[in-house]
Structures are given as structure tokens and as C-alpha cells.
Amino acid sequence: MSVQFIENKNLFILSCAKLSCAFYVDANKRLVHLHFGGKVLGEEGLVPQEIRKGHSSFSPWADGEKPEDSADALPLEFSGFNTGDFRINSATVLTENGSAATDALYVSHHIYKGKKRLAGLPSAFAGDHDSVETLEITMRDTACELEFILSYSVFEECNTIVRSVKAVNNTASPLVIRRLMSAQLDLPHTGFDFVQLSGSWSRERHPERTPLHSGIQSIRSVRGASGHQNSPAIALAAHDATEYSGDVYGAVLAYSGNFLIEAECEQYGTARLCAGINPENFSWMLAPGESFETPEVYLTYSGEGLGGMSRNLHDFMRSHLIRDGWADRKRPLLVNSWEAAYFDFDSVKLLGIAESAAKLGIEMLVLDDGWFGARNDDTTSLGDWFVNTDKIGDLGELVKKINALGVKFGLWFEPEMISEKSKLYQEHPEWVLHEPGRRRSIGRQQMLLDMSRPDVVQYLFETISNILHSANIEYVKWDMNRNLTEVYSDMLPPERQGEVAHRFMLGVYRLHEMLLKEFPGLLIEGCSGGGGRFDAGMLGYVPQIWCSDDTDAMERILIQLGTSYFYPVSTIGAHVSVCPNHITGRSTPFATRGNIALSGTFGYELDLTKLTEEDQALVRKQVADYHRYHHIIAGGDLYRLSDSFKVNPFDAWMYVSKDRKEALVTAVCRFCQPNSGVRFVRPRGLDPETVYEVDGMQVSGATLMSVGFQAKLEPGDGASRIYYLKAL
């Protein structure tokens, strides 16, 4: 059993292959945390911790309890507000009389096989895994009869526990949720580094590692999207943890809107982690009988360093988050029209690209921005989802011609956006997010539709569906090129305006669900100016996300390796683009651009009709490499072989098949250094007893992992090579 309840001790033990979590119900009905970390065998040693020493008047306890019962000193699974615990908390709820005091005590629990899906939110699923078990604990604030249902789903084989919270108003009066976090984790010391992914547009998800210190450290978004600046995922790594060893705790929030993940080092030398919807400008009115569910948090532990944490999360998301049929399916190898033509194209141009694609073995043409309304630049037509026939003719006929070449077809949309110069805005100006009496913000010449409105979501579903039904469109690139401002909706009264940002996100998720129900085989790639909404929430609907608008191969090393700390390589949209690169102006060898893009979904972002014969030959080789190595890259275990927290002159990473019979190493010289000596690569994850063939040598896995092999690269910046290892 992965969930146990020891009744005589009121003790819960949740167990994975290499992870255990334990907590108990104390005499005052609080849920007290005991352990989250390495696997424990049995209940021995799982005993209440001695109360932390301090001046008790400053850590108060409830009337009728003892000083050692102070909520301010206990490690808790769920904490309230203004009732004695002064740390960051799980829940703050405003009652009808204006009180924000919130407390919750244990009432009951329920253990069952499998896992429920959340309503309206991305949700992990058990699938065919009989080992998945869920514990639901009902807590109650006795002062107002508000219930909190804490959910723990244990995914044993992935060393991951999925947590969420549901609030249920059983009172006769409305309540207002001011803060409701999805998960809280109390850890027994503060000896951790805070590992996060940060950056900006075209420089997303660079890993950063800083020691925890007194006070609160956090990452967040108030942009209405998870954002380019911080990804909603963090790790707490022991100071001595490396890529390959040491204790690491990972937390990934499956949410695509305003989020908050924070860690507090408090007075008694312990650390508390909370993750969930950002409470800034958030409130939710809960009428009698209504409930509110939080997004999920995926918690994992690894004693095998940051790499072990990553592999846990990769396995979990591939098996239990990415929708059925896509986790392991080879994605169509595509060329996107954006950097090939921008807005300047017609049917002749597109057919030319498709013909070149067919000759080179590229399987899909994706028509990016500019095919709809009167769209010839970025000032017009967003929201007018009808074909610009003057520009490309009949879409159905164009797609038939492209399909006749043996090439599939995909199309770009930006559903959440609207242009002032559009028919839609003329007909429905009230559909735009706006604050009455305030100036309107413009970004990229566009405004935002109020996705909290059901009529807006229905309009988008109907117009997008009409396009998708009109032709054989097998792929959609879903973009979002600005963040939310003036977050106000005419549909809601003043006291409910704090709900708009979350309702906006629920509308986005709802539109995804509607489209996938109507078109179950449709492949949707997420995008937000590249990686501005690369998060586990979107991965619940889209099996891949455009990683960054920066396609410079040297820049992509750090972006893609950073992304891989929490997200599977199979979800990372990566393409070969033209040089000099359109963002950085850098030139990188064509072969290296392909080698780096192979560490993702792989495709092209250039005009295939302008390739030299030499480049065409390289494309054919890259296409062959994609098909040959896809199963190792997309389904194998990732090992980062160089320091991903800095820009290195030499980088290497590798993938190992699950049976450890094949592996692939990518080595890149980012910039050439004279007299730099011999570069050695030391693989990881191989079978020590197995002999592998690599670069003409036959070497045991033990020797390869201890000694390594020489990376023989051509001189020059950007030189690279892929090494294939096969068990003999």
C-alpha cells in the first residue's frame, strides 16, 4: 500500500519507491508533519518532535492547550491565519463579520485507489497504474464550519506526491477566500539552496541557485500568465547537493496564471514552503454550498541530486500529466513559416516551402501569424478568425495541395487577444479587459479579451472550430503575446473583481478542453512569445510548448537545460533557425543548430527554399537523426554532464534509454579556447557491467562513467558532436 493509516497512533505514512511522507493527528486535532524525504520502512522512529524551545509568550497557544501546542512552533501540514501561527500560511478566509482568523482541525479521512480529476483545472491522472492511491483529509474551521479537503495522491513509481486543497462552504453565509495555497511543506532545518528558473523574453528559464536565508524568499507572477520571468517550479537543494548526489526537494505548481511559491526560514531554524495561486489582488466569494479547488502541486524528493529530481518529474509528467496518446508519440517534424516569411507570404510562397519540405523529409508546414482577417502586420485583425482569402485563397484547397505533397498542415492562433482594428472590437468593445475610467494599456498593438466571460469563450470555440473543420488541420500553435493589465470584468460585481484573473485562466483551460473534445487528435503547441507560459498547467492540455523565441543555438543550451530541471525534454519546442540569428545576430554552424534542436521536439524555423545544397544535405542527416534517436531523447533519462548554472566554454548532456542499452551524448564547444587541453565526457546512468560501443571503442559502462571518453570536436566556436552508445 502506498497510503497507510496507523490508527492507534493517528499516523499517516505515504510511500513511493524512494520517497516517504509522514504526519499525524495530535491531541488537539492538528495535522502535524513528521517527515518528507527518503523512504522509511515501517512506523518505528516516526515520533512527534520535541517542542522547540523559546519564550512561550511570543508563540501563543490556544485556550485550554499547553505551551508546547503552539501552532507557531509546530511543523504543520496546513496552517491558518491570525490564530497563533505567524509564518506564511495555507489559508486566509474572511467571514461575514469581517474576521480573517482562519484555523482548521482534523475531522476525518478517506483512502481510495486512483485519483480524481479536478474540475476546470489541469489535473494529473492515474492511468493504468494500480499503485496510485489517494488520501483525502477533511479539516474544519469550527468557528465558521468552513471545510478544507486536503488531497494527497501518491504516484509510487515516479516518487511524486500530488497535492491540492478544496474549500467547501457549509455555512449559511458567504465567505471570501483571500489566500488558499495548494500545498505546504514544513522541513526540519534551513540548510537549503533555493533553486529557481528566471529570465525574460528570449532569455527564459536560466537556473539560479542561492542559499536560503532568514525571512522569506519567493518567486511569483502577477502578469495573468506564469511569465518569462519565473517558472512556477522550485527546488530546495541541500547545500552540498550536486547534479548527481544529495537531498533535493522539488515543487512544481500546475497553474498558468498568477502564482506564488515562497519559502520562509523562521525563528526556530526550520523552513516552510508554500505554493499556490498568488493572493495578491485575489479573492473568491464562496456562497453557501459552493466549493473552490486549488491547482495541483507536484512534490518530489531525490537523494540523487538535482538530476534525480528532474528524472522523477520527467517520468511523472510523461506518464500522468501529458494527455493520453501524446506522451510517447513521435511529433511531426515541422517547419514554421514565421522566420521564413513573417507576414509576407501568399499561397505560392507557402507551396514552395511545402515542396522543399517534402523533398527533405520534413513532415508538416505550420502557417504562423498573418493568415486571417486583414492581417499584414501586428496592428490589426486579432479576434477576426476568418481566412484572408485575398492573401492565401481558399484554405481548404491550399491544405489539400500541401497534403498532396505528403506534408501535413498546422495553423497559428492567438485566441486570448483582440486588435482595436478588428471587426470583433467594433461589434464587442465590452469584451476587452478594461478598468472603467482608466487609460487602457496596449502591448504589441493588442488588447486582451475577457476570458472570464462564457460568451467570449463560446465565440472563440465556434470561430476556431469553423476554421479547423474547414481543412485538414492537424496542429495548432496557440500563442499569447502580452500579459494582463486592467484586470476588470463588466460581468462581475465590484466585490468579485478579485476573481477575474483566476476566472480568466479557467476560461483559457475551458477553451482547451472544448477544442480537444471536438478535435481529440489535434496536437496543440503552447506558446507565449516563446516561453512566457511554459508551465505544468499548460502541459495538462498541450504536449509541447515553444521554449523561447530566441532560437540562437548557443543561447538555447542554457534555456533548454534550465527548462529540463523540471519539465521533460519531449515537451520542449526546439527548432533550427537561420543565421545570423534574427535576435542575437550570432552565426553558429548548421550542424550544431541541429544537434541542439534535437534536444527537444525538433523542427525548422527558416525558409527551406533558400538552403544551399550543403545545408540541404545536413537537413536530410538531421531528419534521419531525429527518427533514429527520438525514442532515446523523448523517452529516456536525462543526465546533465556540465554545470548548467553558468555559461561554460564546453557543455555536454546525455540521454539513456530506460533499458540502458542505448545512450546519446551531445557535446558542444560554446567558445573555443586556445591550449585548453583535451575535453573528456564522463557519461552517467549506464549499466556498469555492460560493454558499450562508442566512437569505435568498446568500453564497459563502469569505465565510461569513471574515466569517460575524449570529445573530439572540430576547432572553432560552436563546434559540436553527437555520440551514440550502444550495448554489445
Side-chain angles (χ1 to χ4, degrees), residues 413-687:
F413 288 89
E414 195 171 4
E416 296 138 88
M417 302 298 161
I418 183 172
S419 302
E420 188 170 13
K421 296 178 182 178
S422 66
K423 291 185 177 181
L424 182 61
Y425 184 72
Q426 292 173 10
E427 295 172 0
H428 291 287
E430 75 280 7
W431 282 5
V432 173
L433 280 182
H434 66 284
E435 286 267 13
R438 288 196 178 275
R439 290 188 301 168
R440 190 174 57 207
S441 299
I442 300 293
R444 199 182 179 241
Q445 306 297 322
Q446 59 197 54
M447 303 171 292
L448 290 128
L449 288 169
D450 182 357
M451 297 294 291
S452 72
R453 297 177 61 122
D455 51 355
V456 169
V457 174
Q458 185 63 31
Y459 165 82
L460 291 170
F461 171 69
E462 291 174 0
T463 53
I464 294 172
S465 294
N466 288 340
I467 294 293
L468 297 181
H469 278 302
S470 71
N472 184 28
I473 299 167
E474 301 179 61
Y475 166 106
V476 162
K477 181 179 178 181
W478 182 318
D479 212 342
M480 182 201 186
N481 281 306
R482 63 157 294 184
N483 293 141
L484 277 61
T485 56
E486 292 82 54
V487 182
Y488 183 98
S489 175
D490 287 340
M491 290 285 287
L492 295 173
E495 65 271 16
R496 304 197 77 142
Q497 291 301 319
E499 302 176 13
V500 177
H502 183 57
R503 288 185 182 274
F504 182 102
M505 203 62 248
L506 294 177
V508 173
Y509 291 148
R510 175 62 179 151
L511 183 55
H512 272 281
E513 291 173 355
M514 293 167 72
L515 289 170
L516 291 173
K517 183 177 180 180
E518 184 75 8
F519 306 95
L522 183 68
L523 170 59
I524 302 177
E525 178 175 68
C527 181
S528 178
R533 201 158 62 184
F534 201 120
D535 55 68
M538 293 312 302
L539 291 177
Y541 304 98
V542 304
Q544 62 191 58
I545 301 173
W546 183 229
C547 189
S548 176
D549 279 347
D550 186 349
T551 56
D552 181 296
M554 296 297 100
E555 291 287 312
R556 274 300 189 108
I557 294 174
L558 200 52
I559 292 172
Q560 291 175 197
L561 287 177
T563 303
S564 76
Y565 275 97
F566 300 101
Y567 307 107
V569 173
S570 60
T571 68
I572 296 174
H575 292 170
V576 178
S577 64
V578 72
C579 280
N581 183 266
H582 287 194
I583 288 180
T584 66
R586 183 184 287 116
S587 292
T588 305
F590 200 104
T592 293
R593 283 177 264 162
N595 289 342
I596 292 171
L598 277 173
S599 293
T601 58
F602 196 67
Y604 292 87
E605 197 88 13
L606 44 73
D607 189 345
L608 298 175
T609 67
K610 296 180 179 179
L611 294 180
T612 65
E613 290 187 6
E614 180 182 1
D615 286 345
Q616 290 179 42
L618 282 170
V619 169
R620 292 187 178 93
K621 179 185 181 301
Q622 291 165 357
V623 168
D625 285 346
Y626 169 74
H627 292 297
R628 181 184 180 191
Y629 301 133
H630 172 269
H631 65 289
I632 309 174
I633 296 171
D637 290 329
L638 170 67
Y639 293 84
R640 293 174 290 265
L641 304 181
S642 52
D643 186 351
S644 300
F645 289 91
K646 65 180 182 179
V647 175
N648 305 296
F650 178 80
D651 283 290
W653 59 92
M654 71 178 293
Y655 310 93
V656 181
S657 63
K658 288 293 186 180
D659 61 8
R660 297 197 289 178
K661 293 182 178 180
E662 295 178 281
L664 200 70
V665 174
T666 303
V668 183
C669 176
R670 192 190 292 263
F671 46 89
C672 189
Q673 295 177 311
N675 291 323
S676 59
V678 176
R679 299 286 188 186
F680 273 83
V681 173
R682 286 181 60 194
R684 300 282 177 167
L686 302 176
D687 181 354

Side-chain angles (χ1 to χ4, degrees), residues 178-226:
R178 290 286 178 83
R179 175 184 173 107
L180 187 59
M181 306 306 279
S182 299
Q184 175 180 307
L185 181 62
D186 279 10
L187 295 168
H189 61 86
T190 62
F192 299 106
D193 293 337
F194 190 93
V195 180
Q196 61 172 305
L197 304 179
S198 63
S200 67
W201 173 78
S202 77
R203 189 169 42 80
E204 299 92 337
R205 287 176 305 287
H206 285 207
E208 292 186 7
R209 181 172 180 169
T210 55
L212 277 185
H213 52 74
S214 295
I216 299 173
Q217 288 169 260
S218 66
I219 57 172
R220 64 163 201 154
S221 172
V222 291
R223 297 171 175 271
S226 48

Side-chain angles (χ1 to χ4, degrees), residues 3-273:
V3 179
Q4 292 178 274
F5 178 62
I6 315 300
E7 189 168 1
N8 64 333
K9 295 183 177 180
N10 284 328
L11 174 65
F12 297 94
I13 303 176
L14 284 57
S15 298
C16 298
K18 298 180 180 179
L19 159 68
S20 289
C21 174
F23 47 88
Y24 71 100
V25 182
D26 73 2
N28 299 305
K29 300 297 183 180
R30 287 196 177 90
L31 212 55
V32 181
H33 178 82
L34 287 175
H35 173 75
F36 185 94
K39 179 88 174 232
V40 300
L41 299 176
E43 60 191 85
E44 294 78 14
L46 294 174
V47 295
Q49 300 173 9
E50 183 180 350
I51 182 66
R52 285 167 266 185
K53 306 299 183 183
H55 201 289
S56 58
S57 65
F58 290 98
S59 289
W61 60 96
D63 188 25
E65 297 181 2
K66 302 175 182 178
E68 57 264 32
D69 297 327
S70 172
D72 193 39
L74 289 173
L76 299 173
E77 287 291 302
F78 189 82
S79 61
F81 174 72
N82 200 26
T83 53
D85 189 343
F86 299 102
R87 295 164 287 180
I88 56 177
N89 67 296
S90 295
T92 304
V93 179
L94 193 66
T95 59
E96 191 177 33
N97 66 4
S99 169
T102 307
D103 197 11
L105 302 179
Y106 171 86
V107 175
S108 63
H109 70 272
H110 173 51
I111 300 170
Y112 60 90
K113 284 281 188 181
K115 179 186 176 297
K116 299 174 184 176
R117 301 295 295 261
L118 299 184
L121 286 165
S123 184
F125 52 86
D128 297 329
H129 292 260
D130 294 333
S131 62
V132 177
E133 287 189 320
T134 297
L135 165 67
E136 288 184 352
I137 299 177
T138 299
M139 311 280 284
R140 182 178 296 142
D141 188 326
T142 55
C144 67
E145 296 302 312
L146 172 66
E147 284 189 350
F148 299 97
I149 300 173
L150 281 55
S151 176
Y152 300 74
S153 293
V154 181
F155 290 79
E156 185 176 359
E157 85 285 5
C158 301
N159 298 303
T160 300
I161 296 175
V162 176
R163 292 187 58 179
S164 64
V165 177
K166 182 178 182 179
V168 183
N169 184 359
N170 291 320
T171 75
S173 304
L175 301 171
V176 178
I177 298 172
R178 290 286 178 83
R179 175 184 173 107
L180 187 59
M181 306 306 279
S182 299
Q184 175 180 307
L185 181 62
D186 279 10
L187 295 168
H189 61 86
T190 62
F192 299 106
D193 293 337
F194 190 93
V195 180
Q196 61 172 305
L197 304 179
S198 63
S200 67
W201 173 78
S202 77
R203 189 169 42 80
E204 299 92 337
R205 287 176 305 287
H206 285 207
E208 292 186 7
R209 181 172 180 169
T210 55
L212 277 185
H213 52 74
S214 295
I216 299 173
Q217 288 169 260
S218 66
I219 57 172
R220 64 163 201 154
S221 172
V222 291
R223 297 171 175 271
S226 48
H228 299 83
Q229 292 71 24
N230 291 113
S231 185
I234 66 104
L236 294 180
H239 294 319
D240 61 352
T242 68
E243 181 68 25
Y244 314 114
S245 65
D247 293 336
V248 178
Y249 305 82
V252 178
L253 177 65
Y255 190 60
S256 311
N258 295 339
F259 75 89
L260 175 66
I261 303 178
E262 54 185 347
E264 180 176 13
C265 297
E266 53 83 58
Q267 61 180 335
Y268 294 111
T270 62
R272 171 174 288 178
L273 177 71

